[in-house]
Amino acid sequence: MRIHGKTVHRGQLLVITALVIAVIFVGLALVVNSAIYTENLSTRSDSNSEDALSATSTTFGTIATHLERVNTRYNTSYDELTQNYTHLTSDFQQAQSNTYAKRGAVFEMTALNQTNGTHLRQSNQSRAFTNASGQPSDWQAAESVGGISDYTMVVNRDSLYTDSGGSGLLSNSSTVFLTDDDGDTWELHIYETTAGDVAVQSVVDGTEKAACEADAAEVEIDLVAETVGGVPCSTLVFAEGLEESIDIEYHNPDEIAGTYSLRVDVVIDPATSDHYVERGVGSPTATPNIYATTTRMTYATSDVSYIATKRMVAGEPAYTE
């Protein structure tokens, strides 16, 4: 046999063939090994990513728990709130750091910002929505509010203004009245229908929405979940159309009785307010709360570096400017 003008014996041909086959097998081995390495590397990366996401979920879930705990147990002053919140988060940071260090990971948590606010509440189910002095006139519950959370009320049907079919229904019924910096308004009217149901009707800058009704002696209105009597109300969109900071007022407060609770991102001192009293003295009350905190979390290993920053609000937000 001739290859490029040279004679090649059968034995040489066998040697050449064997070398070619060997090279092919070596090449295949390298490809297979490369695929296995890539898969392992990917698996390790996915595992570390899952650990980072798990650390994030645990961290911000714990912060939410800490906020609720200090706001409930340590709310006599903002100093007490801050000290206890700092203590709880510092303990958590140290415990997490020690746990992840054993796995070869670095965990850090840094508090970037804290927003103090106030928990406004009336817990007397038979009391009207009047201010602390009990006057039946309209009153301002909070001014220049940039955030509202955890807003619920339970109203007594028998206390409500009753629809008599006249033209003064909305002007005479009890109303949560919101106004933003531009003068736009959002109203929530609550009254009893001629059929004996509790009706909840919003008015967005003068435009009336369809009312949602519930047949019960006491009806819960959840302004975060936007439900009336536990049933979603499609026309109830809290603070719809409003922007920037808002003022909260109660109009015709003597035409409604029951309880309510909300948190706002402004400080209201009952000692200097004619509308509120301290907890344990009467109703309604204004209690110091941490409204929100902003925290940065870092999780790092030799393969993954993950940073997450999140603002946590105490309670579900109903409105954010």
Side-chain angles (χ1 to χ4, degrees), residues 193-235:
T193 67
T194 54
D197 294 335
V198 174
V200 178
Q201 181 177 6
S202 61
V203 178
V204 182
D205 209 26
T207 301
E208 297 182 19
K209 303 286 186 174
C212 294
E213 301 177 2
D215 181 12
E218 295 182 353
V219 174
E220 180 182 50
I221 304 170
D222 191 325
L223 297 176
V224 177
E226 298 172 350
T227 60
V228 176
V231 178
C233 177
S234 61
T235 60

CSV table of all heavy atoms in Angstrom, one decimal, residues 193-235:
chain,number,residue,atom,x,y,z
A,193,THR,N,-78.3,49.8,54.7
A,193,THR,CA,-79.3,49.9,53.6
A,193,THR,C,-80.7,49.7,54.1
A,193,THR,O,-80.9,49.3,55.2
A,193,THR,CB,-79.0,48.8,52.5
A,193,THR,OG1,-79.3,47.5,53.1
A,193,THR,CG2,-77.5,48.8,52.1
A,194,THR,N,-81.7,50.0,53.2
A,194,THR,CA,-83.1,49.8,53.6
A,194,THR,C,-83.4,48.3,53.8
A,194,THR,O,-84.4,48.0,54.5
A,194,THR,CB,-84.0,50.3,52.4
A,194,THR,OG1,-83.6,49.7,51.2
A,194,THR,CG2,-83.8,51.8,52.3
A,195,ALA,N,-82.6,47.4,53.3
A,195,ALA,CA,-82.8,46.0,53.5
A,195,ALA,C,-82.1,45.5,54.8
A,195,ALA,O,-82.2,44.3,55.1
A,195,ALA,CB,-82.2,45.2,52.3
A,196,GLY,N,-81.4,46.4,55.5
A,196,GLY,CA,-80.7,46.0,56.7
A,196,GLY,C,-79.3,45.5,56.6
A,196,GLY,O,-78.8,44.9,57.5
A,197,ASP,N,-78.7,45.7,55.4
A,197,ASP,CA,-77.3,45.3,55.2
A,197,ASP,C,-76.4,46.4,55.6
A,197,ASP,O,-76.7,47.6,55.5
A,197,ASP,CB,-77.1,44.8,53.8
A,197,ASP,CG,-77.9,43.6,53.5
A,197,ASP,OD1,-78.2,42.8,54.4
A,197,ASP,OD2,-78.2,43.3,52.3
A,198,VAL,N,-75.1,46.0,55.9
A,198,VAL,CA,-74.1,47.0,56.0
A,198,VAL,C,-73.5,47.3,54.7
A,198,VAL,O,-73.0,46.4,54.0
A,198,VAL,CB,-73.0,46.5,57.0
A,198,VAL,CG1,-71.8,47.5,57.0
A,198,VAL,CG2,-73.5,46.4,58.4
A,199,ALA,N,-73.5,48.5,54.2
A,199,ALA,CA,-73.0,48.9,52.9
A,199,ALA,C,-71.7,49.7,53.1
A,199,ALA,O,-71.5,50.5,53.9
A,199,ALA,CB,-74.0,49.7,52.1
A,200,VAL,N,-70.7,49.4,52.2
A,200,VAL,CA,-69.4,50.1,52.2
A,200,VAL,C,-69.2,50.6,50.7
A,200,VAL,O,-69.2,49.8,49.8
A,200,VAL,CB,-68.3,49.1,52.5
A,200,VAL,CG1,-66.9,49.9,52.5
A,200,VAL,CG2,-68.5,48.6,54.0
A,201,GLN,N,-69.1,51.9,50.6
A,201,GLN,CA,-69.1,52.5,49.3
A,201,GLN,C,-68.0,53.5,49.2
A,201,GLN,O,-67.9,54.4,50.0
A,201,GLN,CB,-70.4,53.2,48.9
A,201,GLN,CG,-70.5,53.8,47.6
A,201,GLN,CD,-71.8,54.4,47.2
A,201,GLN,OE1,-72.7,54.4,48.1
A,201,GLN,NE2,-72.0,54.9,46.0
A,202,SER,N,-67.1,53.4,48.2
A,202,SER,CA,-66.0,54.4,48.0
A,202,SER,C,-66.4,55.4,47.0
A,202,SER,O,-67.1,55.1,46.1
A,202,SER,CB,-64.7,53.7,47.6
A,202,SER,OG,-64.9,53.0,46.4
A,203,VAL,N,-65.8,56.6,47.2
A,203,VAL,CA,-66.0,57.7,46.2
A,203,VAL,C,-64.6,58.2,45.9
A,203,VAL,O,-63.9,58.7,46.8
A,203,VAL,CB,-66.9,58.8,46.8
A,203,VAL,CG1,-67.0,59.9,45.8
A,203,VAL,CG2,-68.3,58.3,47.2
A,204,VAL,N,-64.2,58.1,44.6
A,204,VAL,CA,-62.9,58.5,44.2
A,204,VAL,C,-62.9,59.8,43.5
A,204,VAL,O,-63.4,59.9,42.4
A,204,VAL,CB,-62.2,57.4,43.3
A,204,VAL,CG1,-60.8,57.8,42.9
A,204,VAL,CG2,-62.2,56.1,44.0
A,205,ASP,N,-62.5,60.9,44.2
A,205,ASP,CA,-62.4,62.2,43.7
A,205,ASP,C,-63.8,62.6,43.0
A,205,ASP,O,-63.8,63.1,41.9
A,205,ASP,CB,-61.3,62.4,42.7
A,205,ASP,CG,-60.8,63.8,42.6
A,205,ASP,OD1,-60.9,64.5,43.6
A,205,ASP,OD2,-60.2,64.2,41.6
A,206,GLY,N,-64.8,62.3,43.8
A,206,GLY,CA,-66.2,62.7,43.3
A,206,GLY,C,-66.9,61.6,42.6
A,206,GLY,O,-68.1,61.8,42.3
A,207,THR,N,-66.2,60.6,42.1
A,207,THR,CA,-66.9,59.5,41.4
A,207,THR,C,-67.3,58.4,42.3
A,207,THR,O,-66.5,57.7,42.9
A,207,THR,CB,-65.9,59.0,40.3
A,207,THR,OG1,-65.6,60.0,39.4
A,207,THR,CG2,-66.6,57.9,39.5
A,208,GLU,N,-68.6,58.1,42.3
A,208,GLU,CA,-69.1,57.0,43.2
A,208,GLU,C,-68.9,55.6,42.6
A,208,GLU,O,-69.1,55.4,41.4
A,208,GLU,CB,-70.6,57.2,43.4
A,208,GLU,CG,-71.0,58.5,44.1
A,208,GLU,CD,-72.5,58.7,44.4
A,208,GLU,OE1,-73.2,57.6,44.3
A,208,GLU,OE2,-72.9,59.8,44.6
A,209,LYS,N,-68.4,54.7,43.4
A,209,LYS,CA,-68.2,53.3,43.1
A,209,LYS,C,-69.4,52.5,43.6
A,209,LYS,O,-70.1,53.0,44.5
A,209,LYS,CB,-66.9,52.8,43.7
A,209,LYS,CG,-65.7,53.5,43.2
A,209,LYS,CD,-65.3,53.3,41.8
A,209,LYS,CE,-64.0,53.9,41.5
A,209,LYS,NZ,-63.5,53.6,40.1
A,210,ALA,N,-69.6,51.3,43.0
A,210,ALA,CA,-70.7,50.5,43.5
A,210,ALA,C,-70.4,50.0,45.0
A,210,ALA,O,-69.3,49.8,45.3
A,210,ALA,CB,-70.8,49.2,42.6
A,211,ALA,N,-71.5,49.9,45.7
A,211,ALA,CA,-71.3,49.5,47.1
A,211,ALA,C,-71.2,48.0,47.3
A,211,ALA,O,-71.8,47.3,46.5
A,211,ALA,CB,-72.5,50.1,47.9
A,212,CYS,N,-70.5,47.6,48.3
A,212,CYS,CA,-70.4,46.2,48.7
A,212,CYS,C,-71.2,46.1,50.0
A,212,CYS,O,-71.1,46.9,50.9
A,212,CYS,CB,-69.0,45.8,48.9
A,212,CYS,SG,-68.0,45.8,47.4
A,213,GLU,N,-72.0,45.0,50.1
A,213,GLU,CA,-72.8,44.8,51.3
A,213,GLU,C,-72.6,43.5,52.0
A,213,GLU,O,-72.1,42.5,51.4
A,213,GLU,CB,-74.3,44.9,50.8
A,213,GLU,CG,-74.6,46.2,50.1
A,213,GLU,CD,-76.1,46.3,49.6
A,213,GLU,OE1,-76.8,45.3,49.8
A,213,GLU,OE2,-76.4,47.3,49.0
A,214,ALA,N,-72.9,43.5,53.3
A,214,ALA,CA,-72.8,42.3,54.1
A,214,ALA,C,-73.9,42.3,55.1
A,214,ALA,O,-74.3,43.3,55.7
A,214,ALA,CB,-71.5,42.3,54.9
A,215,ASP,N,-74.6,41.1,55.3
A,215,ASP,CA,-75.7,41.0,56.2
A,215,ASP,C,-75.2,40.4,57.5
A,215,ASP,O,-75.1,39.2,57.7
A,215,ASP,CB,-76.8,40.1,55.6
A,215,ASP,CG,-78.0,40.0,56.5
A,215,ASP,OD1,-78.1,40.7,57.5
A,215,ASP,OD2,-78.8,39.1,56.2
A,216,ALA,N,-74.8,41.2,58.5
A,216,ALA,CA,-74.4,40.8,59.8
A,216,ALA,C,-74.5,41.9,60.8
A,216,ALA,O,-74.5,43.1,60.4
A,216,ALA,CB,-72.9,40.3,59.7
A,217,ALA,N,-74.6,41.5,62.1
A,217,ALA,CA,-74.7,42.6,63.1
A,217,ALA,C,-73.4,43.3,63.3
A,217,ALA,O,-73.4,44.5,63.6
A,217,ALA,CB,-75.1,41.9,64.4
A,218,GLU,N,-72.3,42.6,63.1
A,218,GLU,CA,-71.0,43.2,63.1
A,218,GLU,C,-70.2,42.8,61.9
A,218,GLU,O,-70.1,41.6,61.5
A,218,GLU,CB,-70.2,42.7,64.4
A,218,GLU,CG,-70.8,43.2,65.7
A,218,GLU,CD,-70.0,42.8,66.9
A,218,GLU,OE1,-69.0,42.0,66.7
A,218,GLU,OE2,-70.3,43.2,68.0
A,219,VAL,N,-69.7,43.8,61.2
A,219,VAL,CA,-69.0,43.5,59.9
A,219,VAL,C,-67.6,44.0,59.9
A,219,VAL,O,-67.3,45.2,60.3
A,219,VAL,CB,-69.8,44.2,58.7
A,219,VAL,CG1,-69.0,44.0,57.4
A,219,VAL,CG2,-71.2,43.6,58.6
A,220,GLU,N,-66.6,43.1,59.5
A,220,GLU,CA,-65.2,43.6,59.5
A,220,GLU,C,-65.0,44.1,58.1
A,220,GLU,O,-65.3,43.5,57.1
A,220,GLU,CB,-64.3,42.4,59.7
A,220,GLU,CG,-62.8,42.8,59.7
A,220,GLU,CD,-61.9,41.6,59.9
A,220,GLU,OE1,-62.1,40.6,59.2
A,220,GLU,OE2,-61.0,41.8,60.7
A,221,ILE,N,-64.3,45.3,58.1
A,221,ILE,CA,-63.8,45.9,56.8
A,221,ILE,C,-62.3,45.9,56.9
A,221,ILE,O,-61.7,46.5,57.7
A,221,ILE,CB,-64.4,47.3,56.7
A,221,ILE,CG1,-65.9,47.3,56.8
A,221,ILE,CG2,-63.9,48.0,55.4
A,221,ILE,CD1,-66.5,48.7,56.9
A,222,ASP,N,-61.7,45.2,56.0
A,222,ASP,CA,-60.2,45.1,55.9
A,222,ASP,C,-59.8,45.9,54.7
A,222,ASP,O,-60.0,45.5,53.6
A,222,ASP,CB,-59.8,43.6,55.7
A,222,ASP,CG,-58.3,43.4,55.9
A,222,ASP,OD1,-57.5,44.3,55.5
A,222,ASP,OD2,-57.9,42.3,56.5
A,223,LEU,N,-59.1,47.0,55.0
A,223,LEU,CA,-58.7,47.9,53.9
A,223,LEU,C,-57.4,47.5,53.3
A,223,LEU,O,-57.0,48.1,52.3
A,223,LEU,CB,-58.6,49.3,54.5
A,223,LEU,CG,-59.9,49.9,55.0
A,223,LEU,CD1,-59.7,51.3,55.7
A,223,LEU,CD2,-61.0,50.0,53.9
A,224,VAL,N,-56.7,46.5,53.9
A,224,VAL,CA,-55.5,46.0,53.2
A,224,VAL,C,-55.9,44.9,52.2
A,224,VAL,O,-55.6,44.9,51.1
A,224,VAL,CB,-54.5,45.4,54.3
A,224,VAL,CG1,-53.3,44.8,53.6
A,224,VAL,CG2,-54.0,46.5,55.2
A,225,ALA,N,-56.7,43.9,52.7
A,225,ALA,CA,-57.2,42.8,51.9
A,225,ALA,C,-58.3,43.3,51.0
A,225,ALA,O,-58.7,42.6,50.0
A,225,ALA,CB,-57.7,41.7,52.8
A,226,GLU,N,-58.9,44.5,51.2
A,226,GLU,CA,-60.0,45.0,50.5
A,226,GLU,C,-61.2,44.1,50.4
A,226,GLU,O,-61.7,43.7,49.4
A,226,GLU,CB,-59.5,45.4,49.0
A,226,GLU,CG,-58.4,46.4,49.1
A,226,GLU,CD,-57.8,46.7,47.7
A,226,GLU,OE1,-58.0,45.9,46.8
A,226,GLU,OE2,-57.0,47.6,47.6
A,227,THR,N,-61.6,43.7,51.7
A,227,THR,CA,-62.8,42.8,51.9
A,227,THR,C,-63.8,43.5,52.8
A,227,THR,O,-63.5,44.3,53.6
A,227,THR,CB,-62.3,41.5,52.4
A,227,THR,OG1,-61.7,41.7,53.7
A,227,THR,CG2,-61.4,40.8,51.5
A,228,VAL,N,-65.1,43.1,52.6
A,228,VAL,CA,-66.2,43.5,53.5
A,228,VAL,C,-66.8,42.2,54.0
A,228,VAL,O,-67.4,41.4,53.2
A,228,VAL,CB,-67.2,44.4,52.7
A,228,VAL,CG1,-68.4,44.7,53.6
A,228,VAL,CG2,-66.5,45.6,52.2
A,229,GLY,N,-66.8,42.0,55.3
A,229,GLY,CA,-67.4,40.8,55.8
A,229,GLY,C,-66.7,39.6,55.3
A,229,GLY,O,-67.2,38.5,55.2
A,230,GLY,N,-65.4,39.7,55.1
A,230,GLY,CA,-64.5,38.5,54.6
A,230,GLY,C,-64.7,38.2,53.1
A,230,GLY,O,-64.0,37.3,52.7
A,231,VAL,N,-65.5,39.0,52.4
A,231,VAL,CA,-65.7,38.8,51.0
A,231,VAL,C,-65.0,39.9,50.2
A,231,VAL,O,-65.1,41.1,50.5
A,231,VAL,CB,-67.2,38.8,50.6
A,231,VAL,CG1,-67.4,38.6,49.2
A,231,VAL,CG2,-67.9,37.7,51.4
A,232,PRO,N,-64.2,39.5,49.2
A,232,PRO,CA,-63.5,40.6,48.4
A,232,PRO,C,-64.5,41.6,47.8
A,232,PRO,O,-65.6,41.2,47.3
A,232,PRO,CB,-62.8,39.8,47.3
A,232,PRO,CG,-62.6,38.4,47.9
A,232,PRO,CD,-63.8,38.2,48.7
A,233,CYS,N,-64.1,42.8,47.8
A,233,CYS,CA,-65.0,43.9,47.3
A,233,CYS,C,-64.2,44.5,46.2
A,233,CYS,O,-63.3,45.3,46.4
A,233,CYS,CB,-65.3,44.9,48.4
A,233,CYS,SG,-66.3,46.4,47.8
A,234,SER,N,-64.6,44.3,44.9
A,234,SER,CA,-63.8,44.7,43.8
A,234,SER,C,-63.8,46.2,43.6
A,234,SER,O,-62.9,46.7,43.0
A,234,SER,CB,-64.4,44.1,42.5
A,234,SER,OG,-65.8,44.5,42.3
A,235,THR,N,-64.8,46.9,44.2
A,235,THR,CA,-64.8,48.4,44.0
A,235,THR,C,-64.0,49.1,45.2
A,235,THR,O,-63.9,50.3,45.2
A,235,THR,CB,-66.2,48.9,44.0
A,235,THR,OG1,-66.9,48.5,45.2
A,235,THR,CG2,-67.0,48.3,42.8
